[in-house]
Amino acid sequence: MTSDDRVSPHPHDEDGDPRSSSFSGDGAEGSTTTTTSAETSGETAGRAKRSRRKRKQLPLWQETILLLAVALALAFVIKAFFLQAFYIPSESMVPGLQVNDRILVEKPSYWGDNGPQRGDVVVFEDPGGWLGPTAAEGPSNPIAEVMSKIGLYPTGGHLVKRVIGLEGDVISCCDEQGRILVNGQPLDEPYLADGLQCNGPEVNGCTADWETVEVPEGQMFVMGDNRAQSEDSAARICDPAVNTACTTGREFVDTDLVVGKVFAVVWPRSSWDWLERPATFADVPDPR
């Protein structure tokens, strides 16, 4: 075997162990180079993390303002498109809704081409002259006024009534049992206040029957559940203070004024309740 066939020992390996050939160059220098690269990489990563932390952290006052701005924006969106709080200012919806009850109104049910349905309890803007000066004013406290703007406090200038008739319907009062009729179909209304002589406004002791013309396009006929004390559509055509027959003309409400449908009483706790559309309205026939 020639000298070329033998494995040459590593210059620093006195025993000539061929396993030493797996290392190239000076071992000490290679180790130093590897350690230095790792340290440099670690330092670079550390600086990057510290830089990111510095960019993300804001002073407490700035974070507070940012959070408040986001909360207000969300409140505006929720009020405009989803939910809004109101309070009951009068006895017109007793017994279901008591004075000062806090109610929630939802709006998605009336999105798009959908609108109020017979039997819905709705909140709508005053069509003009239906509310007294006090009820129309709303909150007077500056903080409450700001909160009402974003839907976090009940607002004034609105009415709460039940939808009785819609476009094309004819509403009349009353049959032999004192019931309101819609398109000739009498309504059984268990939600009404007790002690009523008839389910229409008690004009002249319920002796003055009345009937509307067809509800115009885009409008509705509404009544409070406490028929004896409600500023509603029937009150516009039947004034108990006037000893005359009821006359139709200005009793309808534009559906564009509707804010939304009442679906829950949330305060006080003793009044918690969910509102549903009464079954009696499902029997009302379509207008002729």
Side-chain angles (χ1 to χ4, degrees), residues 205-217:
C206 288
T207 60
D209 290 344
W210 50 266
E211 183 173 276
T212 69
V213 297
E214 291 184 2
V215 178
E217 181 180 358

Side-chain angles (χ1 to χ4, degrees), residues 8-13 17-28 30-31:
S8 302
H10 191 278
H12 303 285
D13 190 349
D17 188 348
R19 288 176 298 179
S20 300
S21 62
S22 61
F23 296 91
S24 61
D26 188 281
S31 175

Side-chain angles (χ1 to χ4, degrees), residues 123-128 158 218 220 252-260:
V123 170
F124 57 94
E125 297 176 20
D126 186 356
H158 295 78
M220 60 185 182
F252 304 114
V253 178
D254 197 319
T255 54
D256 288 341
L257 297 177
V258 174
V259 176

Side-chain angles (χ1 to χ4, degrees), residues 22-283:
S22 61
F23 296 91
S24 61
D26 188 281
E29 290 179 0
S31 175
T32 302
T33 302
T34 302
T35 302
T36 303
S37 298
E39 290 176 351
T40 303
S41 177
E43 290 176 359
T44 302
R47 284 195 297 269
K49 289 181 180 178
R50 287 194 296 272
S51 177
R52 285 197 297 270
R53 283 199 297 269
K54 288 180 179 179
R55 287 197 300 269
K56 289 182 179 179
Q57 289 178 345
L58 292 174
L60 180 59
W61 67 271
Q62 289 184 359
E63 289 185 354
T64 302
I65 292 176
L66 180 60
L67 290 173
L68 285 175
V70 171
L72 288 174
L74 287 174
F76 274 116
V77 170
I78 291 172
K79 176 186 175 182
F81 299 105
F82 298 100
L83 292 175
Q84 192 169 349
F86 291 90
Y87 69 94
I88 303 300
S90 71
E91 297 179 350
S92 69
M93 290 298 291
V94 169
L97 301 178
Q98 302 289 331
V99 177
N100 289 326
D101 277 356
R102 265 50 176 179
I103 57 176
L104 285 181
V105 170
E106 58 95 354
K107 304 182 180 185
S109 291
Y110 299 157
W111 283 356
D113 295 331
N114 297 323
Q117 301 297 309
R118 301 185 195 98
D120 288 351
V121 176
V122 297
V123 170
F124 57 94
E125 297 176 20
D126 186 356
W130 285 33
L131 284 173
T134 303
E137 287 177 358
S140 56
N141 184 299
I143 296 178
E145 187 174 352
V146 171
M147 293 177 67
S148 70
K149 296 292 185 183
I150 58 176
L152 299 179
Y153 190 88
T155 183
H158 295 78
L159 295 98
V160 182
K161 307 294 178 189
R162 190 179 299 276
V163 179
I164 302 298
L166 296 170
E167 179 180 323
D169 290 340
V170 174
I171 300 92
S172 58
C173 174
C174 292
D175 69 359
E176 293 181 356
Q177 299 179 42
R179 296 176 298 181
I180 292 285
L181 298 96
V182 181
N183 300 334
Q185 174 67 35
L187 300 178
D188 293 314
E189 303 180 272
Y191 45 79
L192 297 182
D194 294 332
L196 298 176
Q197 297 182 57
C198 65
N199 294 349
E202 297 182 341
V203 179
N204 299 330
C206 288
T207 60
D209 290 344
W210 50 266
E211 183 173 276
T212 69
V213 297
E214 291 184 2
V215 178
E217 181 180 358
Q219 300 193 35
M220 60 185 182
F221 187 94
V222 298
M223 298 180 74
D225 290 351
N226 188 3
R227 301 284 161 81
Q229 300 184 44
S230 177
E231 288 296 323
D232 54 21
S233 292
R236 306 269 79 73
I237 60 174
C238 300
D239 186 353
V242 179
N243 189 24
T244 59
C246 301
T247 57
T248 185
R250 57 192 180 93
E251 67 270 29
F252 304 114
V253 178
D254 197 319
T255 54
D256 288 341
L257 297 177
V258 174
V259 176
K261 179 171 68 174
V262 181
F263 75 97
V265 182
V266 295
W267 190 261
R269 184 175 179 178
S270 58
S271 297
W272 282 0
D273 195 14
W274 294 95
L275 276 68
E276 297 180 352
R277 186 179 302 138
T280 186
F281 288 92
D283 298 327

